[in-house]
Amino acid sequence: MLDNPLASSHASEAADDFAVRFALRHATLAPSSHNSQPWRFVLGKDSIMLCADRLRALPVVDPYDRELIISCGAALFNLRVALASLGIGYAITLFPSSVDPDVLAEIRLLRNHATGAELAALVGAIQERVTTRHAFSPEPVDAAIEQHLLEAGRAENVEMACVSAMARREAVADLVAEADRQQFADSRFRRELARWIHPRHTEDGMPAYAAGLGDLLDFAAPLVASAIRTFDLGGGVAATHRELAAGSPLLVCFATGVDNAPAWLATGQALERVLLTATLHGLCASYLNQPVEVEALRARVPALFGLPDTCIPQIVLRIGRGTPDAATPRRPVDEVVA
Ligand SMILES: Cc1cc2nc3c(=O)[nH]c(=O)nc-3n(C[C@H](O)[C@H](O)[C@H](O)COP(=O)(O)O)c2cc1C
């Protein structure tokens, strides 16, 4: 747990600085596509501006910056939780600038306003949460916990649906495998993925084990990156992911009614709220976004989750019990503050 800077002192100016850093550090622990950490924060007097850092975009897998904004939404949710845990209230204006679409949110700090204990209770889970790409135990997720997860997502105004029946999981797993084959057949996709696989000591990107290739490639990071760049590993990746998806007790889809930046920002907040809630319940989560990322397959996702065709899928997760992976690196706060 990071130290609470206000725990032993009054809200002096120095403590205020610490509080903002505490909130920013927690924001940067959010998940992001390829661990690209595509966010910047601009500090004002009693305000924090969250901006998209489009220099960190992934133009092949995410050509419209959809996942980039979802990642920023997850960082925004962590910021809210961290502030709530310090007893600091806030008022958020989404997309406050009519001229700059990169400004995603302005968070004004309201120090004399009470904040919800419900969010504050999630703060410990922020550091604990990691994406876990191993197989999960087949043990079903308790129905009451599944309900908590659904409530967490819907509290952020995003639709969610879960599937646990084997036949449904198999159908989702088949579509994931088809998407893997299509993505890995594209050399641009492989090159982009390889560029974000780094040795562990760097401050962004993914260590080799996090590249989603399971045990397929048990080499050092530079060799993994080179193999991904050079060979179409789609068949093996598809088989691995198919098995992981079908074998996970709970699959979850996040969906919205429209497909635009506000919907993506809401999805990111819902995603992180669900991930932190799952962490509190001792559950692990991993991503099965491939069918959402492949445009030609995306429209087939809602029906697999029993959602109406009008729902636009944004994120697919698998959830279950497992041994959490090691944490991935983050850039220091100073590097993300303008
Ligand atoms: C919008 C979004 C999309 C993601 N898509 C995938 C994915 O398709 N496959 C995958 O293995 N991980 C995916 N991830 C997980 C990231 O790779 C992960 O968050 C990042 O490497 C940081 O690691 P951590 O989650 O353990 O902190 C995604 C994360 C986000 C926020």
Side-chain angles (χ1 to χ4, degrees):
M1 192 48 197
L2 296 176
D3 292 336
N4 176 343
L6 297 187
S8 57
S9 66
H10 294 294
S12 64
E13 216 169 274
D16 288 354
D17 286 350
F18 277 121
V20 168
R21 287 187 76 83
F22 177 87
L24 292 177
R25 178 64 187 144
H26 280 80
T28 62
L29 294 176
S32 61
S33 202
H34 289 14
N35 197 19
S36 55
Q37 303 168 43
W39 41 65
R40 280 187 305 116
F41 299 91
V42 181
L43 304 185
K45 184 169 159 36
D46 280 333
S47 73
I48 301 171
M49 208 112 78
L50 165 65
C51 303
D53 183 350
R54 295 189 204 260
L55 294 176
R56 297 181 157 265
L58 303 167
V60 179
V61 74
D62 186 29
Y64 305 107
D65 291 349
R66 186 181 61 83
E67 290 190 354
L68 184 150
I69 306 279
I70 291 175
S71 303
C72 289
L76 176 58
F77 186 74
N78 278 3
L79 195 68
R80 288 167 52 199
V81 170
L83 290 172
S85 78
L86 298 176
I88 298 176
Y90 52 79
I92 297 180
T93 309
L94 299 177
F95 301 95
S97 168
S98 56
V99 290
D100 188 350
D102 290 356
V103 184
L104 305 181
E106 184 188 29
I107 303 103
R108 275 176 295 115
L109 309 187
L110 308 171
R111 291 171 198 280
N112 298 322
H113 283 59
T115 45
E118 215 182 318
L119 285 197
L122 295 171
V123 73
I126 291 179
Q127 286 196 85
E128 234 183 276
R129 183 215 58 81
V130 290
T131 304
T132 294
R133 294 176 177 84
H134 299 298
F136 299 152
S137 148
E139 174 196 349
V141 173
D142 189 86
I145 297 180
E146 182 179 322
Q147 192 54 34
H148 279 166
L149 300 178
L150 288 169
E151 283 164 11
R154 289 173 186 161
E156 299 299 322
N157 298 314
V158 168
E159 189 50 77
M160 270 180 73
C162 297
V163 304
S164 52
M166 184 47 107
R168 291 238 181 182
R169 278 153 48 194
E170 294 272 359
V172 175
D174 285 342
L175 196 63
V176 167
E178 191 173 336
D180 271 327
R181 281 190 290 270
Q182 291 196 23
Q183 285 187 322
F184 274 83
D186 180 351
S187 60
R188 295 169 312 135
F189 170 86
R190 299 202 306 269
R191 267 207 302 273
E192 184 175 85
L193 176 60
R195 222 183 20 249
W196 287 90
I197 294 171
H198 302 311
R200 281 172 200 222
H201 63 267
T202 60
E203 292 167 347
D204 58 10
M206 296 177 293
Y209 68 82
L213 298 171
D215 296 329
L216 266 183
L217 289 173
D218 195 15
F219 305 136
L223 289 180
V224 173
S226 164
I228 290 172
R229 201 168 43 240
T230 314
F231 305 114
D232 176 3
L233 302 163
V237 173
T240 302
H241 285 161
R242 199 199 164 287
E243 203 178 318
L244 288 171
S248 299
L250 192 67
L251 306 184
V252 177
C253 179
F254 294 74
T256 53
V258 289
D259 203 21
N260 59 19
W264 303 334
L265 200 59
T267 301
Q269 295 187 76
L271 167 68
E272 186 65 347
R273 191 164 183 152
V274 169
L275 291 172
L276 297 181
T277 305
T279 304
L280 277 190
H281 284 291
L283 294 166
C284 294
S286 196
Y287 296 75
L288 299 168
N289 289 332
Q290 302 86 315
V292 180
E293 292 165 350
V294 175
E295 208 54 54
L297 302 180
R298 194 176 180 191
R300 286 164 57 184
V301 175
L304 297 178
F305 284 88
L307 289 165
D309 287 351
T310 46
C311 276
I312 300 163
Q314 301 290 355
I315 292 282
V316 177
L317 297 178
R318 62 184 180 92
I319 291 181
R321 296 196 185 275
T323 309
D325 277 343
T328 51
R330 290 296 187 276
R331 290 181 294 156
V333 165
D334 285 340
E335 276 190 31
V336 297
V337 173

